[in-house]
Amino acid sequence: MTRVANYVVAYEATERGNDTVELGVALARLTRSELRLCLVLPHHASTVPARVGAASSPDYQALLEEQALEWLEQGRARVPADVVATTHLLYADSTTEGLLQAAATFDSDRIVVGASRRGLMNRFTIGSVANALLHSSSVPVALAPRGYTAPEQLTRITCAIGTRPGWTPLLDSLLAFSEGLTVDLRFVTLVEVDAGRGHPVDHAGSQAHLASVLEYFSTRSRAHGEITTEVASGHSVEAAIEALDWQKTEIAFVGSSRLAQPTTIFLGITAHRMLHALPVPLIVVPTGTDARKPH
């Protein structure tokens, strides 16, 4: 049986849930993948509140499931006809646990979640579920910024890559993700300038590093599109991100911290700071070989 590439979409009947569906649609269109819209109810939600009464237990459970299924149908109604989507009502001890179990059950390539609603428009504030996934998932996690709307087609991927050793797993994941796609690829190194001390920007060192990245990627890539590199500098990581031009039809890639265990995600300090300024969706890739899974 041929494996079908698919993404677990963390759905909820909120604006954040809608953002998540929109990013799922954008990624599914790009990679010709399917969506698994998952709504997770806690195990204790199947227990009737004391005020309802034990005699009402079957009715309460039926109403709870009916409402959840209705919400899932609302989510699926947001998916356009050119994208295949299925809905799944799950019970787990936590939303994070339910999503991780779903990703394992469906052999999913990615988990898609939304930003907290506390963030500013088109910016990220990491909520509890996203934060937990970013410290435990064995598959890449895609984060939708607040107010995200799927474009007709994603046209560029920007990969933020540091100069320290250990960057090849991120490139391997991007190679697998972009194989056969018509999409431009941009590799960016962020340089934080200490303006108070007047430290110069090592553009030569950064460019040399990007040249190595470009050689590694371009000799292995089967994507169809322009490949470029860029050094972005600023008095902070956030300023460096804001100095770059960003397209509405773009997504960003970043790797896990070196502190991450093999085949898991651990979002590092730099990536956390990137999120404060990043106006486009971000995909965070685990360490290790599992991150090289296609799509």
Side-chain angles (χ1 to χ4, degrees):
M1 184 176 178
T2 303
R3 179 183 176 276
V4 178
N6 71 88
Y7 306 144
V8 164
V9 175
Y11 185 70
E12 57 185 60
T14 63
E15 292 181 0
R16 174 168 56 187
N18 295 338
D19 297 341
T20 307
V21 172
E22 291 288 326
L23 178 54
V25 167
L27 293 173
R29 279 176 171 166
L30 177 66
T31 61
R32 298 176 295 279
S33 301
E34 297 183 359
L35 302 181
R36 308 285 181 251
L37 271 61
C38 297
L39 192 154
V40 182
L41 296 177
H43 278 308
H44 59 74
S46 61
T47 303
V48 180
R51 65 179 181 276
V52 175
S56 302
S57 177
D59 292 339
Y60 176 81
Q61 180 66 21
L63 287 172
L64 182 66
E65 292 185 356
E66 181 180 355
Q67 178 63 81
L69 291 172
E70 181 180 329
W71 284 333
L72 279 169
E73 285 305 311
Q74 292 174 3
R76 182 158 60 177
R78 299 185 65 89
V79 180
D82 60 323
V83 175
V84 175
T86 57
T87 59
H88 307 271
L89 177 59
L90 310 171
Y91 283 97
D93 289 334
S94 68
T95 300
T96 302
E97 179 184 302
L99 295 173
L100 292 173
Q101 290 176 349
T105 299
F106 300 133
D107 191 21
S108 297
D109 304 88
R110 247 162 216 91
I111 299 175
V112 187
V113 294
S116 169
R117 303 311 295 178
R118 295 190 301 273
L120 299 174
M121 178 61 72
N122 294 328
R123 292 297 188 271
F124 292 91
T125 298
I126 299 299
S128 58
V129 173
N131 185 63
L133 288 171
L134 290 172
H135 289 80
S136 60
S137 179
S138 60
V139 299
V141 174
L143 301 164
R146 181 175 180 178
Y148 184 71
T149 301
E152 286 298 318
Q153 189 68 35
L154 293 170
T155 61
R156 186 168 73 176
I157 300 172
T158 287
C159 180
I161 189 160
T163 57
R164 293 179 179 178
W167 44 265
T168 53
L170 174 59
L171 292 192
D172 291 335
S173 180
L174 185 54
L175 284 165
F177 181 85
S178 62
E179 183 173 359
L181 301 183
T182 300
V183 63
D184 293 336
L185 296 151
R186 177 175 65 162
F187 294 97
V188 170
T189 291
L190 306 177
V191 178
E192 189 172 5
V193 182
D194 188 340
R197 297 183 180 181
H199 289 172
V201 179
D202 183 12
H203 279 288
S206 298
Q207 291 289 4
H209 168 65
L210 286 174
S212 299
V213 169
L214 184 60
E215 180 181 6
Y216 183 96
F217 190 88
S218 61
T219 56
R220 295 167 174 80
S221 177
R222 295 183 180 177
H224 311 291
E226 183 182 9
I227 303 177
T228 59
T229 62
E230 190 170 349
V231 176
S233 60
H235 61 83
S236 65
V237 170
E238 295 87 342
I241 288 292
E242 291 175 350
L244 292 166
D245 73 286
W246 295 97
Q247 303 171 0
K248 292 183 178 180
T249 56
E250 183 168 11
I251 57 174
F253 257 64
V254 70
S256 297
S257 165
R258 292 181 300 162
L259 299 176
Q261 297 298 316
T263 70
T264 59
I265 286 176
F266 186 91
L267 196 64
I269 295 174
T270 299
H272 261 297
R273 293 173 64 187
M274 283 178 58
L275 288 172
H276 295 308
L278 195 66
V280 301
L282 177 68
I283 295 178
V284 185
V285 177
T287 60
T289 56
D290 284 1
R292 302 178 192 182
K293 199 174 186 181
H295 301 301

